[in-house]
Amino acid sequence: MTAPQQVELIQAFRFKVTLTRSPGPAASAGPPELGDGLFAECSGLELEADIRELLEGGRNNGVIRRVGRVKLVPIVLKRGMFLASAGGYADTALWDWLTGMVNGALPIPRYDGMVEVMAPGGSRQVARWTFLRALPSKVTGPSLNARTGEIAIEELRLVHEGLKLEGP
């Protein structure tokens, strides 16, 4: 009798997010990279298929189901606000991206993203999602409270044009 194979589970606490400028007409707009992977939370790594139900006349014991479009969920990234340089001012790159778009700055830079989950020791990548041509749909500043002493957290919500869990 052989021993059962031990299964390694993926742990979600060690990950890195990279945002690099998408190729295309706006490839020269905006910085080549946004953020530096230092996000504390990442959610929205999901796809949902839109299934259409067709009712066929005379068929009362079932329905026909067809695949429709995929529904893409916004990716939400949260990170602690930090200073752009030692003794400097808060890093404004995420806010600049959204406010530039809202103010009509053209071309609008888009960013491709990669979310890498690392093994607990950080020695190897165990999963990788990629998303394409993201635009900011919302930036949220920190909740400020003088009584708590917590780190200021900002949130970036990204809409994108495709998400994929890459193979090894």
Side-chain angles (χ1 to χ4, degrees), residues 77-147:
L77 302 171
K78 295 182 182 181
R79 71 175 186 181
M81 289 186 76
F82 57 92
L83 303 178
S85 61
Y89 196 73
D91 181 12
T92 62
L94 300 180
W95 289 83
D96 293 344
W97 186 23
L98 180 64
T99 55
M101 184 178 76
V102 171
N103 291 334
L106 294 175
I108 299 169
R110 291 177 176 256
Y111 287 84
D112 295 337
M114 182 168 46
V115 180
E116 300 171 274
V117 180
M118 306 303 286
S123 60
R124 65 187 171 91
Q125 183 184 86
V126 295
R128 179 180 67 238
W129 285 265
T130 56
F131 55 92
L132 301 173
R133 298 181 43 79
L135 286 171
S137 65
K138 182 178 180 181
V139 178
T140 304
S143 295
L144 304 174
N145 186 338
R147 292 178 286 168

Side-chain angles (χ1 to χ4, degrees), residues 50-54 64-68:
D50 183 25
I51 305 297
R52 296 177 298 159
E53 292 187 352
L54 303 174
I64 298 171
R65 294 197 168 122
R66 297 286 185 246
V67 177

